[in-house]
Amino acid sequence: MYEKRLHPASIVFQFVRSLKDAAFGFLPVLFVIFNNGASWYEFSGLGLLLIILFIFSIVKWFRFSYVVTEEELQIKQGIFVRRERRISKHRIQSIDLTQTLLHRIFGLMKVQIETAGSDENVDASLAAVTFEEGERVSENLKHKGERTEEDHEKAYPEEVMSYSRLALTGATSDNAIIIFGLLWLLFSQANQIIPDQMYEDATRWLFSLAVQFLISLVLLSVLVVWGAGIIWTMVKYANFTITRYETELYMRYGLIEKRQRTIPVNRIQAVIVKENLIRQLLGLCYVYVEVAGGVNGGKMEGSTVYLLPLLKKNDVPGFLNEYLPEYCRDNPGMKRPPLRSLPYYIWGSLLVSVTAVIVVSLTVPAWVLIPVAATVIFPGWGVFRWRTSGISFDETYLNLQYRKVSRETVTLRRARLQAFGKKDTWLYRKQGLATIDAAILNNAQGRHFVVPALWEEDVAKASETFSKVPGIHKKLSEERGG
């Protein structure tokens, strides 16, 4: 096998990246130059700096080479200090192929390689290779030479999202809730938005005309923003396809910026079904996973990765059974918190709204009706959260359900738990309550799933079951006092 270099267009990518990295240093200099009047030697110095950056990009491209052997990926790089890295195929966890708009102009793609542990000094990236070369590198590294002819002929489960389904995804996203909330806020304070001068100088006819125009403008703005969100979703996730192979999930999506992603099943730490208010009313949700070490790329991004941006809630068990049977658990039968825990859910929401009333009344009295209304709405939201929360477990799975804004149902496997916490206070112990805190490994810091004020006996039984996992960090903490 002979060494290869990246496509020459990677010089442009490196030059653009260097300009981006130096932007904060350039901006003050450019401001001073143009503010004080630039002379020819200042422009010459700036031009010389750009030439140096471009030469640096050429040299960096020339000094980077790679080769894929039967056992590993070898990379040599470095301008002044030559470094050689060898990445065994068996350490590679995921390979993502990305085509940004700039890549597509040149007919190229980026190959991002992630190894166990997600160490930047171990992971590798081929910033710009041809499409055919990227596919070849991915195929050679991904299957480690073990794929047979039967593997190529085998039918794997696959699902493709239609554009109409993607449009519904955008229409029911969290952004839609924010837009509708802002619309309600504007209408509720319309009398404060309209200037007082209008009441004094305009006639009743002109005044009513102005209000109609204002309402029309607000509605049009909301529709434009909402429509733009729908279009953005359709463009970003166009042709969204998910396929389940033996040991990995494979996804591809995107119209302008195309992505191909692989998720090793053995790195999935948790499966979460999330429903915002709109989707819950419509019986819809989306499914995402937490992945140890993270998966490079977009908001399917970092350690949090969407498996499917939208599907019916009733279809979740069937979807998981086909694509992720390791986390499929039919009808977990959530046990809800007792009625005595309800005040703890209400208290936090009520405290926030009362504090808001005091602050707004002292700073912006004209808007005080909004937090006053919240003092009624927020306790109701506390009841809503209480009705949402729950716990269910057996020897293999732990299911938790809770709500901050959206309702989330989490499925955790016994072997993936990194820490398990039982927390209580003096009042909790007196009422037989406890808070559960289950932690998993995702990117660097891990993620905690917390459900407050459950039955103490349920949390204790779960603690007894899952704290026996080999290697788990036992954290049966009891917070005394308070």
Side-chain angles (χ1 to χ4, degrees):
M1 300 292 290
Y2 60 92
E3 293 185 353
K4 293 185 177 182
R5 287 194 173 86
L6 301 177
H7 192 278
S10 62
I11 297 172
V12 178
F13 288 84
Q14 178 60 46
F15 180 65
V16 171
R17 190 179 304 114
S18 300
L19 288 178
K20 182 180 177 181
D21 295 339
F24 288 105
F26 275 143
L27 289 177
V29 175
L30 291 175
F31 178 79
V32 172
I33 289 177
F34 287 105
N35 195 43
N36 298 330
S39 59
W40 69 270
Y41 61 85
E42 290 172 327
F43 278 114
S44 299
L46 187 61
L48 179 61
L49 183 58
L50 293 176
I51 292 173
I52 292 174
L53 287 178
F54 190 72
I55 293 175
F56 169 81
S57 301
I58 295 176
V59 175
K60 191 170 184 178
W61 166 79
F62 184 77
R63 296 280 289 174
F64 185 101
S65 62
Y66 69 95
V67 60
V68 179
T69 68
E70 293 183 358
E71 296 296 330
E72 63 185 8
L73 169 66
Q74 301 174 7
I75 294 179
K76 295 179 181 179
Q77 61 182 339
I79 297 178
F80 302 108
V81 179
R82 190 72 165 168
R83 292 189 302 156
E84 181 175 346
R85 298 162 57 192
R86 296 173 179 266
I87 302 175
S88 170
K89 290 183 178 182
H90 297 282
R91 284 187 53 82
I92 294 174
Q93 294 292 327
S94 66
I95 303 172
D96 296 334
L97 307 180
T98 306
Q99 279 188 301
T100 65
L101 183 59
L102 193 57
H103 280 92
R104 295 189 69 183
I105 292 174
F106 290 99
L108 305 174
M109 67 165 45
K110 176 182 178 181
V111 181
Q112 187 75 34
I113 299 158
E114 186 181 341
T115 59
S118 190
D119 186 348
E120 290 183 359
N121 295 319
V122 178
D123 296 351
S125 176
L126 305 181
V129 295
T130 63
F131 188 86
E132 293 76 14
E133 175 67 7
E135 293 280 4
R136 186 191 69 82
V137 170
S138 175
E139 185 71 16
N140 288 345
L141 295 178
K142 183 189 302 181
H143 301 294
K144 307 174 180 64
E146 65 206 23
R147 177 166 275 199
T148 65
E149 189 67 28
E150 292 182 0
D151 294 326
H152 287 283
E153 296 178 356
K154 184 177 179 179
Y156 294 99
E158 182 175 276
E159 183 166 348
V160 182
M161 289 190 67
S162 64
Y163 279 99
S164 59
R165 195 168 165 190
L166 287 173
L168 184 59
T169 301
T172 59
S173 67
D174 294 334
N175 294 332
I177 296 177
I178 295 173
I179 292 171
F180 290 134
L182 292 174
L183 179 61
W184 174 85
L185 179 63
L186 288 171
F187 280 138
S188 65
Q189 296 295 317
N191 61 324
Q192 300 295 331
I193 296 173
I194 300 173
D196 293 337
Q197 191 66 32
M198 183 177 293
Y199 287 96
E200 300 173 2
D201 299 338
T203 63
R204 183 176 298 274
W205 179 81
L206 290 175
F207 171 72
S208 63
L209 181 64
V211 171
Q212 292 172 7
F213 178 76
L214 178 64
I215 293 174
S216 300
L217 183 61
V218 170
L219 287 174
L220 180 61
S221 300
V222 168
L223 289 174
V224 169
V225 174
W226 189 28
I230 294 173
I231 294 173
W232 178 83
T233 301
M234 295 175 67
V235 170
K236 182 176 181 180
Y237 298 121
N239 303 313
F240 187 98
T241 305
I242 180 171
T243 308
R244 168 64 193 255
Y245 294 109
E246 284 87 354
T247 60
E248 65 188 18
L249 290 168
Y250 173 73
M251 293 178 293
R252 57 183 184 272
Y253 61 93
L255 187 61
I256 296 177
E257 183 175 350
K258 292 188 175 182
R259 294 181 180 273
Q260 298 180 28
R261 307 165 59 80
T262 57
I263 305 174
V265 172
N266 62 2
R267 298 188 73 187
I268 294 176
Q269 307 297 300
V271 175
I272 300 99
V273 178
K274 188 170 183 178
E275 309 158 77
N276 63 30
L277 293 175
I278 296 177
R279 289 178 178 172
Q280 188 175 344
L281 289 173
L282 298 175
L284 303 172
C285 65
Y286 69 83
V287 180
Y288 71 95
V289 295
E290 291 288 349
V291 182
V295 178
N296 297 293
K299 178 173 182 308
M300 292 182 359
E301 287 132 16
S303 60
T304 300
V305 184
Y306 291 169
L307 290 189
L308 208 61
L310 188 76
L311 74 163
K312 294 180 180 179
K313 179 67 181 297
N314 293 336
D315 293 341
V316 171
F319 171 78
L320 291 178
N321 185 55
E322 188 169 15
Y323 291 91
L324 206 56
E326 296 85 351
Y327 284 86
C328 181
R329 187 184 180 202
D330 292 332
N331 190 21
M334 292 288 181
K335 188 171 182 180
R336 305 301 175 189
L339 183 61
R340 68 185 68 172
S341 67
L342 180 58
Y344 297 103
Y345 285 87
I346 295 177
W347 169 245
S349 300
L350 187 61
L351 182 63
V352 171
S353 58
V354 170
T355 303
V357 169
I358 296 173
V359 173
V360 173
S361 62
L362 293 176
T363 56
V364 192
W367 293 76
V368 75
L369 289 179
I370 294 177
V372 167
T375 59
V376 178
I377 296 173
F378 277 22
W381 186 256
V383 175
F384 202 31
R385 290 181 56 232
W386 171 75
R387 290 177 60 87
T388 297
S389 300
I391 181 175
S392 175
F393 62 93
D394 57 23
E395 291 297 320
T396 304
Y397 297 99
L398 171 65
N399 288 88
L400 299 175
Q401 193 173 88
Y402 59 89
R403 178 189 297 277
K404 294 179 180 177
V405 177
S406 300
R407 180 169 70 179
E408 298 193 37
T409 305
V410 184
T411 301
L412 304 165
R413 292 189 70 190
R414 173 189 174 104
R416 298 301 181 191
L417 284 171
Q418 295 294 311
F420 190 99
K422 172 192 170 189
K423 302 178 181 179
D424 59 26
T425 64
W426 176 79
L427 284 175
Y428 270 35
R429 291 194 297 274
K430 191 173 182 180
Q431 296 179 286
L433 302 175
T435 293
I436 189 171
D437 182 352
I440 59 168
L441 176 68
N442 58 3
N443 203 351
Q445 300 177 343
R447 179 176 176 182
H448 291 256
F449 301 99
V450 180
V451 184
L454 297 168
W455 282 112
E456 191 277 338
E457 60 182 23
D458 292 331
V459 180
K461 288 179 181 178
S463 169
E464 183 179 354
T465 300
F466 294 104
S467 63
K468 296 178 182 177
V469 177
I472 194 171
H473 306 291
K474 297 180 182 180
K475 277 182 56 182
L476 298 181
S477 59
E478 293 188 354
E479 299 178 356
R480 303 295 179 181

